[in-house]
Amino acid sequence: MTLQDPRQKRHARELALQILFQTEFTTPVPYQDFLELFEDSTPKEVLDYADELIRGVKERRGEIDSILQASSQNWKVERMAIVDRNVLRLAVFEMKFGSSPLKPSIAINEAVDIAKKFGTTDSGSFVNGLLDQVRRQAGWE
């Protein structure tokens, strides 16, 4: 599924981040239950793209975490802040595994903006540095 409007894509990414974050704290609740909470207030296209992102990150989490770990010299993925870790996972998914892979520069810019909005004061630079390292190690332009 391809969502064209950049604002709606951002909305879908932010929604996906919030749901991925929440699923790390709750007893096993299907993420679709969280998506249903937004059905009345969110366009279907946004929900569909958020669903694609969440499903993709969950299905490829091991591969994504391996990519992140290989690029992270000082941080174990499981010890990263939950917001940062999930922003990173979303970005790697969109760059490598998404149905319409994003150019790394776009994925990184989006991830940094979202990390600044939802993370700590250091999240933007942390996400930027690690994703740039991922990009370089993978040879992505």
Side-chain angles (χ1 to χ4, degrees), residues 101-118:
L102 281 183
K103 288 176 50 178
S105 60
I106 294 170
I108 292 169
N109 285 339
E110 283 292 304
V112 167
D113 287 348
I114 292 169
K116 286 178 180 177
K117 181 175 180 178
F118 290 95

Side-chain angles (χ1 to χ4, degrees), residues 4 6 11 13 15 72-73 75 88 99 118 124 130 133 137:
Q4 298 301 320
H11 186 187
R13 288 182 188 106
L15 183 57
S72 176
Q73 298 168 7
W75 292 91
L88 292 163
S99 58
F118 290 95
L130 187 50
Q133 184 65 25
Q137 283 190 350

Side-chain angles (χ1 to χ4, degrees), residues 16-17 41 48 55 59 61 72 79 88 90 120-121 129 133:
L17 170 66
S41 61
D48 288 346
R55 190 173 3 93
E59 289 172 1
R61 184 171 158 178
S72 176
R79 293 191 44 91
L88 292 163
L90 284 165
T120 67
T121 55
Q133 184 65 25

Side-chain angles (χ1 to χ4, degrees), residues 17-33:
L17 170 66
Q18 292 172 63
I19 291 172
L20 287 168
F21 180 91
Q22 186 63 39
T23 59
E24 290 204 30
F25 285 108
T26 59
T27 54
V29 174
Y31 75 87
Q32 294 90 343
D33 290 355

Side-chain angles (χ1 to χ4, degrees), residues 58-108:
K58 286 186 162 296
E59 289 172 1
R60 301 227 181 226
R61 184 171 158 178
E63 293 169 88
I64 292 168
D65 284 359
S66 292
I67 291 167
L68 291 170
Q69 193 60 67
S71 297
S72 176
Q73 298 168 7
N74 300 317
W75 292 91
K76 292 203 176 290
V77 173
E78 61 272 6
R79 293 191 44 91
M80 292 175 188
I82 296 171
V83 168
D84 297 352
R85 176 172 61 227
N86 283 295
V87 168
L88 292 163
R89 286 173 175 160
L90 284 165
V92 170
F93 174 78
E94 282 195 289
M95 287 188 284
K96 182 163 176 64
F97 302 110
S99 58
S100 298
L102 281 183
K103 288 176 50 178
S105 60
I106 294 170
I108 292 169

